[in-house]
Amino acid sequence: MADSLIDNVIDSGRIEFVSQFAIPFTAGSLARVVIDDDNDARMKRAIEAVTGVATGDQSAYERVAGVAAEILSERSADTTGRDDVLQSLVTARVDGGRGLSLVEQLGVVTVLLLGGLDTTRGTIAHIGRYLAELPGFEQRLRRPEWVRHDLDELLRYTSAVSVMGRTVTQDNELLGRPLKKGDRLAVHWQSGNRDEAKFEHADEIRFDRPKNPHLAFGVGIHRCLGQQFARLQIEVAVERLLRRLTGLAVVPGTMIKETVGVVAGAPEQMFLSFATIAD
Ligand code: HEM
């Protein structure tokens, strides 16, 4: 998928990095993982609909739900040879008892889209920006070991999910402040990831941190379900880009537009030029 997106732009020497790479790559990958269907035409519809959700088309949710509902209705507990996300929703039991209703199954599909689209797209877009702007960054990401050593620092620094809500379930206290049952809290992952008490020079990218206990994927029972998948997508995206492109730079006279909202500050539109690497 990454290769074919690069094929589309390679001759022009220029890419709008978000709409021509980060969005279709992450939406296509997520569609293939969540809706794994042998019917090519339906799979194409699913990818189109998930890409629609990723670009903010609200009506696209209905199209994703339509495709998922169609496939779910064809599956049964003993659909042979399937071991995928939708099949696990068909066989799931609540505390060993009842199965999930269609509404619940589609709810899980929606949460996977909500959790998986803007986040991974945002992180890849940040990395594209650093490739264009930070001296020495491309050379660093050309070393395969960057995934083990550097990726967590980038996840900490970019902290794609800035904040999430929680409701206090019992009277409690946090750092000396009283919390009352029913209070609403904003749990600010991004702020925690820039906490000087935990990370020296927290506002800088430092690849030599001895430990990196960041909260980019949250913490506790709701810790990100897709974190390994996200890491894999980021690794593949960078590897494929740098296999064929070099010298990414912001096109003079263009501005980088940034996202607002939960995934705040990631490039939303970013025109980059590049040179190609001969095969
Ligand atoms: C760099 C990419 C990603 C980041 C930074 C990220 C971040 C997070 C964070 C901070 C949470 C915790 C939310 C909370 O505690 O309220 C979370 C939960 C979740 N994420 Fe991710 N995520 C990423 C990619 C993905 C992907 C690719 C998927 C889907 C395949 C995904 C699916 C989920 C789901 C389903 C949850 C909810 C888990 C639960 O409530 O038990 N995420 N993510």
Side-chain angles (χ1 to χ4, degrees):
M1 217 174 276
D3 283 339
S4 76
L5 293 167
I6 297 167
D7 286 342
N8 293 343
V9 297
I10 192 136
D11 290 337
S12 70
R14 191 179 151 136
I15 185 170
E16 196 291 283
F17 193 81
V18 183
S19 63
Q20 292 186 299
F21 186 75
I23 288 178
F25 175 67
T26 49
S29 309
L30 190 67
R32 284 211 171 271
V33 167
V34 174
I35 297 174
D36 176 24
D37 192 27
D38 302 330
N39 176 331
D40 286 344
R42 195 159 58 185
M43 196 59 237
K44 226 173 125 193
R45 259 169 63 212
I47 293 176
E48 178 279 320
V50 174
T51 310
V53 172
T55 49
D57 171 3
Q58 287 301 320
S59 69
Y61 268 110
E62 267 174 49
R63 296 203 295 281
V64 177
V67 175
E70 224 175 279
I71 300 170
L72 285 163
S73 70
E74 291 167 14
R75 300 277 185 95
S76 66
D78 51 359
T79 309
T80 47
R82 302 236 60 125
D83 177 20
D84 58 23
V85 174
L86 294 184
Q87 189 61 23
S88 72
L89 295 178
V90 171
T91 52
R93 292 285 167 270
V94 178
D95 296 329
R98 68 172 182 93
L100 300 179
S101 69
L102 180 63
V103 168
E104 288 168 333
Q105 291 170 335
L106 294 179
V108 175
V109 171
T110 304
V111 170
L112 286 169
L113 300 190
L114 286 174
L117 285 174
D118 293 1
T119 48
T120 321
R121 183 260 296 153
T123 308
I124 290 174
H126 273 300
I127 291 175
R129 180 178 198 162
Y130 302 152
L131 280 168
E133 291 186 336
L134 300 185
F137 195 71
E138 177 182 332
Q139 283 331 103
R140 193 148 186 121
L141 265 50
R142 285 193 175 282
R143 299 152 51 255
E145 57 274 26
W146 83 273
V147 175
R148 259 180 303 124
H149 294 297
D150 303 344
L151 178 53
D152 277 292
E153 174 64 355
L154 295 174
L155 287 163
R156 177 194 73 84
Y157 188 76
T158 56
S159 207
V161 177
S162 56
V163 63
M164 277 279 148
R166 287 286 189 277
T167 305
V168 176
T169 55
Q170 54 188 35
D171 290 356
N172 211 327
E173 194 188 287
L174 181 68
L175 300 174
R177 302 238 173 186
L179 301 176
K180 288 259 163 294
K181 185 176 171 175
D183 282 353
R184 294 284 291 153
L185 295 183
V187 180
H188 218 297
W189 311 115
Q190 211 169 52
S191 172
N193 279 339
R194 299 290 181 97
D195 184 350
E196 287 285 340
K198 278 277 176 196
F199 304 99
E200 253 180 65
H201 304 288
D203 280 334
E204 292 168 23
I205 299 177
R206 295 266 176 131
F207 291 122
D208 57 355
R209 298 187 187 282
K211 279 194 187 152
N212 204 333
H214 66 77
L215 300 172
F217 291 117
V219 69
I221 57 165
H222 290 290
R223 193 178 161 90
C224 180
L225 194 65
Q227 60 169 307
Q228 303 305 342
F229 178 41
R231 284 175 192 276
L232 187 62
Q233 286 179 77
I234 296 166
E235 178 181 359
V236 170
V238 169
E239 198 263 326
R240 291 287 145 167
L241 283 168
L242 295 186
R243 181 182 283 217
R244 302 177 66 195
L245 314 181
T246 184
L248 288 153
V250 178
V251 174
T254 63
M255 291 231 321
I256 298 178
K257 242 168 87 180
E258 293 176 356
T259 50
V260 291
V262 171
V263 179
E268 189 172 53
Q269 189 181 57
M270 177 170 67
F271 293 96
L272 301 181
S273 61
F274 53 80
T276 51
I277 298 172
D279 285 336

